[in-house]
Amino acid sequence: MINQKDLLPKDMGRSDEQLIKLEVDQLMPLLAPYDKPGMEPAMTDPKPAWKEKFCTSLDGYVGIDTLIRPKSKEEEDEFVRKFLSGLEKIFSDANNGVLEPLLLTFEYCAKCNTCSDACHIYTATGNNELYRPIYRSEVLRKIMKKYFTKSGKLLGNFVGADIDVNWETIARLGELAYRCNLCRRCAQTCPLGLDNSLLTKEIRKIFSQEMGIAPTPLHTKGSMLQIKTGSSTGLSKPAFLDTLEFLEEDTEERFGIKFKFPVDKKGADILVLHNAGEFIAWPENPVAFALLFEEAGLNWTLSSEIMGYDSVNYGLWYDDFQAKKIALMQMKVAKDFGVNRLVVAECGHAHKASMVVGDRMAYGDAKIPVESCLPLLWDMVKNKRLKLDPSKNNFPVTLHDPCNVVRQLGIVEPQRNVLKAICPQFREMTPHGVDNYCCGGGSGFAIMNSQNFPQFRDSVASRVKFNQILGAFKDTIEDPSIPKYVCAPCSNCKGAMRSIFEHYDATEKFNLQYGGLVELMVNALVSMKKPYLEFLDKE
Amino acid sequence: MLLSFIAYLSIFLFVGISVYKAYKFAKMPLHGRMELYPVPKEKGFEHGGSFYEEVSWWSKPHEVSHFREIMEMMKEILFIKKLFENQRPFWWISYALHLGIYLLMAWTMLLVVGATTELNGIFVAANSPSIWGLLIYYLTFVTGICGLVLGTLGAGLLFLRRMFDSTLKKYTTPQEYFNLLLLFAALFSGIITWGSDLSFSTARDVTANLITFTNFDATGLQIINIILVGIMLTYIPISKMSHYVGKYFTFHTVLWDNSPNVKGSAVEQKVKKATSYKPTTSWSAPHIKGPSAPK
């Protein structure tokens, strides 16, 4: 192992068993009440069997469970060859959709290091060199220069082409690409407007699109499953319809409200697209949408068509081919349906996928307008289409801004306007809005649960967010009788919240709760006879 | 004559290569949208908002302020705003170099104007009877001294900082040290060459000879300075120091693009063209079948 302070980009090729090891006492300190010893689980070592099978030689964590150690020299050589082939391709016309931003970022980094302080992972690790945003980028540049530039071939070390390329180098680089949430906060501070997360994603793309290697939850059980069954949850059409029926009955039983989800309704104005994970993990969210839309009198529907009831698009995080395939399939379903507009519910990456990334994948009649649920929800509150009683939400509430929604789409005000209107004790995190920090679950982390990866996510990637939450509730955090609600209008972010609250036992100890925006809105509805939020009902 | 040729050629190469690079970026294939808010031209710039904050955004006019975009771009170009906001200690030396270069560009132009003025019989000096002559003299005096001092100081301090900062030195290649040394050498040689006559009348005389292709007895220092500046001007656009070209594209066409593909828009035409392109290279992973992206 190497002292992280001495770590150089070229060390990625070293034969060490593990480059660095993270320890809790080296991480960024947590705020009270988690500043006391013993409040946080220790960091663990990878199991010996994992070392044999996976790449644990970076920092001991396994993010890519399909990245298997080679059994022979031939396999190792083939692995390196394929990576280099993919590296060459990202600069070819196979990658036209990214070529210009990629070349700009690749070419012009002045290495001023401004990006480091903006990175929540680098900060969380106590400024560990391995997680500095430009560390990963520099490794990629060095390999590229060594193999594919004239200057690198002629001048070698002089231009930085000084790295040994072997299985360990490439595999570590692949793992390191999954130590970044792709939140793009670093790009926001770059004086040259360059984007380290773009290079990170290109590494993930090379692994997936050329080498066929990607984390199982993202690929095999993610985008591939969605293309096959219509949903990354594996939820088939009959199962989806059964789920809706169950939720209708359950809502009637719990709240005495009789309603039906409009499904495949002809002549509907709006098609609502949920992250299908909501129906399984947080069904109160799609139910809340239905209750609000019905009360506001919107002409809306859900779709039961394959690809029509799951908004997710994991391709965004690791594979452009998958992203495009899914986006186009979703677009076709919406178009065939004949609605006027598609409204994306509370899922951050689905917002980005359908509104920004998918925006230039088709044109003309193949597209229908897509909008976020957040302005629509604010419109319903602003125009008093809902009868709301803010006193029902009289407990501390803070807002987590999903990166995809704020920094990458510029939807900042509607959600906080709603909260200001319905939550008397609403308070902002610091920083917030477009300057927010990622929840730590971004770019697939929230669903990557293989081997010891959750520990990296919960202790490191979500650390800055957890501190922001503790800071927002510092006046009441130690009083478990007061519920404290983190509003996270994004499925992925909710997944991250669930994990960190479990990791720190924060709900049990300090009554920290999380959920979406619509749940708070329904809870404030005058027509609700009992609290919609379960934690209020218990009291 | 040879020095005139070097001066003209290096300026021609500097401008020509820079423009060629800009042309290459401008002609690159349409890329996917990668905006990062706040986007200056957007109405909601103050809070980082966009047109997506409106219900049925596609049916409303997309209000943009190109003036605000230009203003924000000027803040970046003239003051390196992001570095100032996010890394103040580094900004001081980086800005010294950049401001020094801007002032030296102005100084060079003022020397040309001054030389032309004198060729037209107007005296450029502190005791010139002409207001124009006085104006050019003092502007040349201020920009020359400030430019040479700030530029040299900036290049030198950036070099030293990279050498001795434990983080930066890990990421600095020998070529990047060379880049800064070349700048320092060209600028420092400027101080030695022209600093002995702070009225810059010698510099004006040399400039007059250079622009009129007149033979003159150049001193050794003058030859060294002109050659070094010539090399620097030619090298900058082929190195990553040409970030002045890239920066326009990273902001204007990538981070601040914000042009949705709505029916009848100019972007729609570009998307139409881009989607009809058949790539010559294809990916090899098993889940990607066929030679091109999915239809």
Side-chain angles (χ1 to χ4, degrees), chain A residues 167-188:
Chain A
W167 190 90
E168 221 64 63
T169 319
I170 307 296
R172 280 172 176 152
L173 186 60
E175 277 293 338
L176 195 53
Y178 286 92
R179 301 294 185 274
C180 163
N181 284 116
L182 309 183
C183 79
R184 303 182 72 204
R185 197 170 189 273
C186 59
Q188 227 174 12

PDB file of all heavy atoms in Angstrom, chain A residues 167-188:
ATOM      1  N   TRP A 167      -3.059  -5.186 -16.900  1.00  0.00           N
ATOM      2  CA  TRP A 167      -4.419  -5.478 -16.435  1.00  0.00           C
ATOM      3  C   TRP A 167      -4.770  -4.613 -15.228  1.00  0.00           C
ATOM      4  O   TRP A 167      -5.844  -4.031 -15.151  1.00  0.00           O
ATOM      5  CB  TRP A 167      -4.553  -6.963 -16.067  1.00  0.00           C
ATOM      6  CG  TRP A 167      -5.983  -7.344 -15.808  1.00  0.00           C
ATOM      7  CD1 TRP A 167      -6.885  -7.807 -16.721  1.00  0.00           C
ATOM      8  CD2 TRP A 167      -6.690  -7.278 -14.545  1.00  0.00           C
ATOM      9  NE1 TRP A 167      -8.101  -8.022 -16.124  1.00  0.00           N
ATOM     10  CE2 TRP A 167      -8.015  -7.706 -14.791  1.00  0.00           C
ATOM     11  CE3 TRP A 167      -6.333  -6.890 -13.260  1.00  0.00           C
ATOM     12  CZ2 TRP A 167      -8.990  -7.776 -13.791  1.00  0.00           C
ATOM     13  CZ3 TRP A 167      -7.303  -6.941 -12.257  1.00  0.00           C
ATOM     14  CH2 TRP A 167      -8.613  -7.382 -12.518  1.00  0.00           C
ATOM     15  N   GLU A 168      -3.820  -4.521 -14.308  1.00  0.00           N
ATOM     16  CA  GLU A 168      -4.043  -3.786 -13.056  1.00  0.00           C
ATOM     17  C   GLU A 168      -4.356  -2.314 -13.339  1.00  0.00           C
ATOM     18  O   GLU A 168      -5.275  -1.751 -12.744  1.00  0.00           O
ATOM     19  CB  GLU A 168      -2.773  -3.891 -12.190  1.00  0.00           C
ATOM     20  CG  GLU A 168      -3.041  -4.119 -10.731  1.00  0.00           C
ATOM     21  CD  GLU A 168      -3.719  -5.441 -10.406  1.00  0.00           C
ATOM     22  OE1 GLU A 168      -3.129  -6.485 -10.669  1.00  0.00           O
ATOM     23  OE2 GLU A 168      -4.849  -5.400  -9.895  1.00  0.00           O
ATOM     24  N   THR A 169      -3.609  -1.708 -14.232  1.00  0.00           N
ATOM     25  CA  THR A 169      -3.835  -0.289 -14.563  1.00  0.00           C
ATOM     26  C   THR A 169      -5.247  -0.079 -15.070  1.00  0.00           C
ATOM     27  O   THR A 169      -5.969   0.809 -14.609  1.00  0.00           O
ATOM     28  CB  THR A 169      -2.863   0.167 -15.690  1.00  0.00           C
ATOM     29  OG1 THR A 169      -1.585  -0.384 -15.464  1.00  0.00           O
ATOM     30  CG2 THR A 169      -2.801   1.667 -15.790  1.00  0.00           C
ATOM     31  N   ILE A 170      -5.617  -0.898 -16.044  1.00  0.00           N
ATOM     32  CA  ILE A 170      -6.925  -0.718 -16.700  1.00  0.00           C
ATOM     33  C   ILE A 170      -8.063  -1.058 -15.739  1.00  0.00           C
ATOM     34  O   ILE A 170      -9.066  -0.330 -15.665  1.00  0.00           O
ATOM     35  CB  ILE A 170      -7.039  -1.628 -17.957  1.00  0.00           C
ATOM     36  CG1 ILE A 170      -5.839  -1.419 -18.893  1.00  0.00           C
ATOM     37  CG2 ILE A 170      -8.346  -1.399 -18.691  1.00  0.00           C
ATOM     38  CD1 ILE A 170      -5.720  -0.070 -19.488  1.00  0.00           C
ATOM     39  N   ALA A 171      -7.896  -2.161 -15.017  1.00  0.00           N
ATOM     40  CA  ALA A 171      -8.967  -2.573 -14.098  1.00  0.00           C
ATOM     41  C   ALA A 171      -9.150  -1.529 -12.993  1.00  0.00           C
ATOM     42  O   ALA A 171     -10.276  -1.181 -12.639  1.00  0.00           O
ATOM     43  CB  ALA A 171      -8.633  -3.938 -13.493  1.00  0.00           C
ATOM     44  N   ARG A 172      -8.036  -1.015 -12.479  1.00  0.00           N
ATOM     45  CA  ARG A 172      -8.142   0.039 -11.461  1.00  0.00           C
ATOM     46  C   ARG A 172      -8.831   1.269 -12.030  1.00  0.00           C
ATOM     47  O   ARG A 172      -9.644   1.907 -11.362  1.00  0.00           O
ATOM     48  CB  ARG A 172      -6.747   0.429 -10.956  1.00  0.00           C
ATOM     49  CG  ARG A 172      -6.176  -0.526  -9.934  1.00  0.00           C
ATOM     50  CD  ARG A 172      -4.738  -0.163  -9.646  1.00  0.00           C
ATOM     51  NE  ARG A 172      -4.159  -0.985  -8.599  1.00  0.00           N
ATOM     52  CZ  ARG A 172      -2.874  -1.258  -8.500  1.00  0.00           C
ATOM     53  NH1 ARG A 172      -2.026  -0.791  -9.397  1.00  0.00           N
ATOM     54  NH2 ARG A 172      -2.418  -1.996  -7.506  1.00  0.00           N
ATOM     55  N   LEU A 173      -8.499   1.596 -13.267  1.00  0.00           N
ATOM     56  CA  LEU A 173      -9.134   2.762 -13.885  1.00  0.00           C
ATOM     57  C   LEU A 173     -10.645   2.538 -14.035  1.00  0.00           C
ATOM     58  O   LEU A 173     -11.449   3.448 -13.818  1.00  0.00           O
ATOM     59  CB  LEU A 173      -8.495   3.042 -15.255  1.00  0.00           C
ATOM     60  CG  LEU A 173      -8.941   4.311 -15.966  1.00  0.00           C
ATOM     61  CD1 LEU A 173      -8.634   5.565 -15.146  1.00  0.00           C
ATOM     62  CD2 LEU A 173      -8.277   4.427 -17.339  1.00  0.00           C
ATOM     63  N   GLY A 174     -10.998   1.315 -14.401  1.00  0.00           N
ATOM     64  CA  GLY A 174     -12.429   0.970 -14.506  1.00  0.00           C
ATOM     65  C   GLY A 174     -13.117   1.124 -13.163  1.00  0.00           C
ATOM     66  O   GLY A 174     -14.199   1.711 -13.057  1.00  0.00           O
ATOM     67  N   GLU A 175     -12.485   0.615 -12.113  1.00  0.00           N
ATOM     68  CA  GLU A 175     -13.065   0.766 -10.768  1.00  0.00           C
ATOM     69  C   GLU A 175     -13.145   2.241 -10.378  1.00  0.00           C
ATOM     70  O   GLU A 175     -14.143   2.692  -9.822  1.00  0.00           O
ATOM     71  CB  GLU A 175     -12.217   0.001  -9.739  1.00  0.00           C
ATOM     72  CG  GLU A 175     -12.533  -1.484  -9.630  1.00  0.00           C
ATOM     73  CD  GLU A 175     -13.929  -1.756  -9.050  1.00  0.00           C
ATOM     74  OE1 GLU A 175     -14.483  -0.887  -8.373  1.00  0.00           O
ATOM     75  OE2 GLU A 175     -14.476  -2.847  -9.305  1.00  0.00           O
ATOM     76  N   LEU A 176     -12.088   2.980 -10.698  1.00  0.00           N
ATOM     77  CA  LEU A 176     -12.050   4.392 -10.309  1.00  0.00           C
ATOM     78  C   LEU A 176     -13.152   5.201 -11.010  1.00  0.00           C
ATOM     79  O   LEU A 176     -13.601   6.224 -10.499  1.00  0.00           O
ATOM     80  CB  LEU A 176     -10.662   4.984 -10.622  1.00  0.00           C
ATOM     81  CG  LEU A 176     -10.307   6.334  -9.987  1.00  0.00           C
ATOM     82  CD1 LEU A 176     -10.510   6.339  -8.482  1.00  0.00           C
ATOM     83  CD2 LEU A 176      -8.876   6.730 -10.320  1.00  0.00           C
ATOM     84  N   ALA A 177     -13.569   4.716 -12.176  1.00  0.00           N
ATOM     85  CA  ALA A 177     -14.677   5.379 -12.868  1.00  0.00           C
ATOM     86  C   ALA A 177     -15.980   5.220 -12.081  1.00  0.00           C
ATOM     87  O   ALA A 177     -16.942   5.954 -12.298  1.00  0.00           O
ATOM     88  CB  ALA A 177     -14.834   4.814 -14.280  1.00  0.00           C
ATOM     89  N   TYR A 178     -16.001   4.253 -11.158  1.00  0.00           N
ATOM     90  CA  TYR A 178     -17.169   4.087 -10.281  1.00  0.00           C
ATOM     91  C   TYR A 178     -16.867   4.594  -8.862  1.00  0.00           C
ATOM     92  O   TYR A 178     -17.370   4.068  -7.880  1.00  0.00           O
ATOM     93  CB  TYR A 178     -17.620   2.618 -10.275  1.00  0.00           C
ATOM     94  CG  TYR A 178     -18.313   2.253 -11.584  1.00  0.00           C
ATOM     95  CD1 TYR A 178     -17.593   1.728 -12.648  1.00  0.00           C
ATOM     96  CD2 TYR A 178     -19.672   2.500 -11.759  1.00  0.00           C
ATOM     97  CE1 TYR A 178     -18.216   1.436 -13.858  1.00  0.00           C
ATOM     98  CE2 TYR A 178     -20.302   2.214 -12.967  1.00  0.00           C
ATOM     99  CZ  TYR A 178     -19.568   1.680 -14.009  1.00  0.00           C
ATOM    100  OH  TYR A 178     -20.185   1.401 -15.205  1.00  0.00           O
ATOM    101  N   ARG A 179     -16.032   5.613  -8.801  1.00  0.00           N
ATOM    102  CA  ARG A 179     -15.837   6.335  -7.536  1.00  0.00           C
ATOM    103  C   ARG A 179     -16.214   7.806  -7.760  1.00  0.00           C
ATOM    104  O   ARG A 179     -15.776   8.684  -7.039  1.00  0.00           O
ATOM    105  CB  ARG A 179     -14.381   6.250  -7.063  1.00  0.00           C
ATOM    106  CG  ARG A 179     -13.861   4.849  -6.843  1.00  0.00           C
ATOM    107  CD  ARG A 179     -14.551   4.101  -5.698  1.00  0.00           C
ATOM    108  NE  ARG A 179     -13.907   2.808  -5.500  1.00  0.00           N
ATOM    109  CZ  ARG A 179     -14.232   1.711  -6.184  1.00  0.00           C
ATOM    110  NH1 ARG A 179     -15.216   1.741  -7.082  1.00  0.00           N
ATOM    111  NH2 ARG A 179     -13.583   0.569  -5.964  1.00  0.00           N
ATOM    112  N   CYS A 180     -16.997   8.044  -8.793  1.00  0.00           N
ATOM    113  CA  CYS A 180     -17.452   9.390  -9.147  1.00  0.00           C
ATOM    114  C   CYS A 180     -18.943   9.300  -9.424  1.00  0.00           C
ATOM    115  O   CYS A 180     -19.381   8.376 -10.107  1.00  0.00           O
ATOM    116  CB  CYS A 180     -16.696   9.870 -10.391  1.00  0.00           C
ATOM    117  SG  CYS A 180     -17.451  11.272 -11.234  1.00  0.00           S
ATOM    118  N   ASN A 181     -19.715  10.223  -8.867  1.00  0.00           N
ATOM    119  CA  ASN A 181     -21.172  10.186  -9.050  1.00  0.00           C
ATOM    120  C   ASN A 181     -21.631  10.879 -10.334  1.00  0.00           C
ATOM    121  O   ASN A 181     -22.838  11.024 -10.554  1.00  0.00           O
ATOM    122  CB  ASN A 181     -21.879  10.853  -7.873  1.00  0.00           C
ATOM    123  CG  ASN A 181     -21.904   9.991  -6.627  1.00  0.00           C
ATOM    124  OD1 ASN A 181     -21.323  10.333  -5.610  1.00  0.00           O
ATOM    125  ND2 ASN A 181     -22.583   8.855  -6.697  1.00  0.00           N
ATOM    126  N   LEU A 182     -20.709  11.348 -11.157  1.00  0.00           N
ATOM    127  CA  LEU A 182     -21.045  12.074 -12.388  1.00  0.00           C
ATOM    128  C   LEU A 182     -21.966  13.264 -12.098  1.00  0.00           C
ATOM    129  O   LEU A 182     -22.843  13.590 -12.895  1.00  0.00           O
ATOM    130  CB  LEU A 182     -21.713  11.158 -13.429  1.00  0.00           C
ATOM    131  CG  LEU A 182     -21.043   9.835 -13.789  1.00  0.00           C
ATOM    132  CD1 LEU A 182     -21.830   9.116 -14.885  1.00  0.00           C
ATOM    133  CD2 LEU A 182     -19.613  10.043 -14.271  1.00  0.00           C
ATOM    134  N   CYS A 183     -21.763  13.910 -10.948  1.00  0.00           N
ATOM    135  CA  CYS A 183     -22.677  14.998 -10.553  1.00  0.00           C
ATOM    136  C   CYS A 183     -22.345  16.298 -11.270  1.00  0.00           C
ATOM    137  O   CYS A 183     -23.132  17.226 -11.270  1.00  0.00           O
ATOM    138  CB  CYS A 183     -22.638  15.202  -9.044  1.00  0.00           C
ATOM    139  SG  CYS A 183     -21.199  16.134  -8.443  1.00  0.00           S
ATOM    140  N   ARG A 184     -21.152  16.416 -11.820  1.00  0.00           N
ATOM    141  CA  ARG A 184     -20.689  17.553 -12.617  1.00  0.00           C
ATOM    142  C   ARG A 184     -20.501  18.827 -11.794  1.00  0.00           C
ATOM    143  O   ARG A 184     -20.466  19.930 -12.336  1.00  0.00           O
ATOM    144  CB  ARG A 184     -21.609  17.797 -13.810  1.00  0.00           C
ATOM    145  CG  ARG A 184     -21.741  16.577 -14.720  1.00  0.00           C
ATOM    146  CD  ARG A 184     -22.604  16.856 -15.910  1.00  0.00           C
ATOM    147  NE  ARG A 184     -21.954  17.732 -16.862  1.00  0.00           N
ATOM    148  CZ  ARG A 184     -22.618  18.487 -17.736  1.00  0.00           C
ATOM    149  NH1 ARG A 184     -23.928  18.468 -17.758  1.00  0.00           N
ATOM    150  NH2 ARG A 184     -21.983  19.263 -18.574  1.00  0.00           N
ATOM    151  N   ARG A 185     -20.412  18.672 -10.487  1.00  0.00           N
ATOM    152  CA  ARG A 185     -20.178  19.861  -9.667  1.00  0.00           C
ATOM    153  C   ARG A 185     -18.788  20.424  -9.950  1.00  0.00           C
ATOM    154  O   ARG A 185     -18.569  21.630  -9.899  1.00  0.00           O
ATOM    155  CB  ARG A 185     -20.317  19.496  -8.184  1.00  0.00           C
ATOM    156  CG  ARG A 185     -20.508  20.697  -7.290  1.00  0.00           C
ATOM    157  CD  ARG A 185     -20.877  20.268  -5.876  1.00  0.00           C
ATOM    158  NE  ARG A 185     -21.270  21.414  -5.087  1.00  0.00           N
ATOM    159  CZ  ARG A 185     -20.430  22.173  -4.406  1.00  0.00           C
ATOM    160  NH1 ARG A 185     -19.149  21.891  -4.405  1.00  0.00           N
ATOM    161  NH2 ARG A 185     -20.858  23.214  -3.726  1.00  0.00           N
ATOM    162  N   CYS A 186     -17.838  19.536 -10.268  1.00  0.00           N
ATOM    163  CA  CYS A 186     -16.478  19.995 -10.538  1.00  0.00           C
ATOM    164  C   CYS A 186     -16.449  20.850 -11.805  1.00  0.00           C
ATOM    165  O   CYS A 186     -15.730  21.845 -11.881  1.00  0.00           O
ATOM    166  CB  CYS A 186     -15.507  18.823 -10.649  1.00  0.00           C
ATOM    167  SG  CYS A 186     -15.894  17.635 -11.940  1.00  0.00           S
ATOM    168  N   ALA A 187     -17.271  20.454 -12.793  1.00  0.00           N
ATOM    169  CA  ALA A 187     -17.281  21.194 -14.059  1.00  0.00           C
ATOM    170  C   ALA A 187     -17.797  22.615 -13.862  1.00  0.00           C
ATOM    171  O   ALA A 187     -17.431  23.529 -14.597  1.00  0.00           O
ATOM    172  CB  ALA A 187     -18.140  20.457 -15.085  1.00  0.00           C
ATOM    173  N   GLN A 188     -18.652  22.758 -12.855  1.00  0.00           N
ATOM    174  CA  GLN A 188     -19.221  24.080 -12.586  1.00  0.00           C
ATOM    175  C   GLN A 188     -18.144  25.087 -12.157  1.00  0.00           C
ATOM    176  O   GLN A 188     -18.300  26.280 -12.367  1.00  0.00           O
ATOM    177  CB  GLN A 188     -20.210  23.928 -11.432  1.00  0.00           C
ATOM    178  CG  GLN A 188     -21.524  24.589 -11.650  1.00  0.00           C
ATOM    179  CD  GLN A 188     -22.471  24.252 -10.510  1.00  0.00           C
ATOM    180  OE1 GLN A 188     -22.082  23.728  -9.477  1.00  0.00           O
ATOM    181  NE2 GLN A 188     -23.724  24.578 -10.703  1.00  0.00           N
TER     182      GLN A 188
END
